[in-house]
């Protein structure tokens, strides 16, 4: 298991850029296909602790960059191929679930289904973080803000479902 720190050199720039671009593109495409998220969000009856809609546009890119850095660290670590494959299968599944959540919630307004979906996403992200941690500690730790945000987003999703 790696301690997390990785020697960064110029030949790794392409790999890190691709690693960060993948989750960012997933987020951008999902947002595009979700429609007017800000308008949909403000039209809902919102629970206590609901942030203004602009907060999501700040938080999600940061989380996607952290995911990408984490994926880069795992891909660059010398680890058993089976461990890396399992970790990246989980990573891919959580990205797919992440991609579809906002479409279910905003585009189709499937509030109850979205809540169940985000709970599955939450579980996948925890499993991904653990799998990444087993390969590279820092990579696993970089998932903690995402896990915390999903806990908060799950609360918001549930309460929006109950209030609307």
């Amino acid at each position: 298991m790696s301690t997390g720190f990785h020697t960064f050199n110029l030949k790794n720039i392409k790999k890190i850029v691709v690693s960060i671009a993948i989750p960012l593109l997933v987020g951008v495409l999902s947002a595009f296909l979700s429609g007017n998220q800000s308008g949909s969000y403000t039209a809902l009856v919102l629970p206590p602790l609901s942030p203004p809609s602009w907060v999501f546009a700040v938080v999600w890119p940061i989380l996607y960059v952290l995911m990408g850095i984490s994926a880069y660290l795992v891909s660059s670590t010398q680890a058993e191929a089976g461990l890396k494959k399992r970790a990246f299968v989980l990573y891919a599944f959580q990205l797919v679930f992440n991609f579809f959540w906002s479409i279910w919630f905003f585009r189709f307004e499937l509030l109850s289904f979205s809540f169940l979906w985000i709970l599955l996403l939450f579980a996948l992200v925890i499993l991904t973080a653990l799998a990444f941690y087993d390969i590279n500690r820092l990579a696993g730790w970089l998932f903690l803000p995402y896990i915390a945000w999903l806990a908060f987003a799950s609360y918001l999703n549930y309460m929006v479902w109950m209030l609307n």
Side-chain angles (χ1 to χ4, degrees), residues 5-58:
F5 295 99
H6 182 72
T7 304
F8 188 73
N9 58 45
L10 292 178
K11 77 178 195 176
N12 293 328
I13 289 177
K14 181 178 178 185
K15 193 173 185 179
I16 197 166
V17 167
V18 169
S19 295
I20 292 171
I22 289 169
L24 282 170
L25 289 172
V26 166
V28 167
L29 185 57
S30 177
F32 175 75
L33 295 174
S34 297
N36 181 5
Q37 292 180 14
S38 181
S40 298
Y41 179 74
T42 55
L44 296 165
V45 177
L46 298 174
L49 305 177
S50 296
S53 60
W54 65 264
V55 170
F56 299 95
V58 172

Side-chain angles (χ1 to χ4, degrees), residues 91-149:
Y91 181 70
F93 274 118
Q94 71 83 25
L95 278 177
V96 168
F97 270 69
N98 180 301
F99 173 83
F100 280 106
W101 180 85
S102 58
I103 295 168
W104 302 141
F105 188 88
F106 292 109
R107 168 69 68 184
F108 297 112
E109 298 178 8
L110 299 170
L111 303 180
S112 60
F113 180 76
S114 297
F115 178 66
L116 297 174
W117 194 265
I118 203 169
L119 293 179
L120 292 171
L121 171 60
F122 191 67
L124 284 168
V125 170
I126 290 170
L127 291 172
T128 303
L130 292 171
F132 275 26
Y133 183 86
D134 285 344
I135 296 167
N136 180 293
R137 288 183 178 176
L138 180 57
W141 286 114
L142 288 174
F143 266 76
L144 284 182
Y146 185 21
I147 290 167
W149 184 255

Side-chain angles (χ1 to χ4, degrees), residues 48-92:
L49 305 177
S50 296
S53 60
W54 65 264
V55 170
F56 299 95
V58 172
V59 170
W60 277 110
I62 293 168
L63 296 175
Y64 289 132
V65 168
L66 292 175
M67 277 185 242
I69 293 168
S70 185
Y72 166 77
L73 290 171
V74 169
S75 70
S76 300
T77 301
Q78 297 300 316
E80 180 187 327
L83 282 176
K84 286 173 99 169
K85 181 178 179 181
R86 178 182 175 272
F88 277 108
V89 165
L90 287 166
Y91 181 70

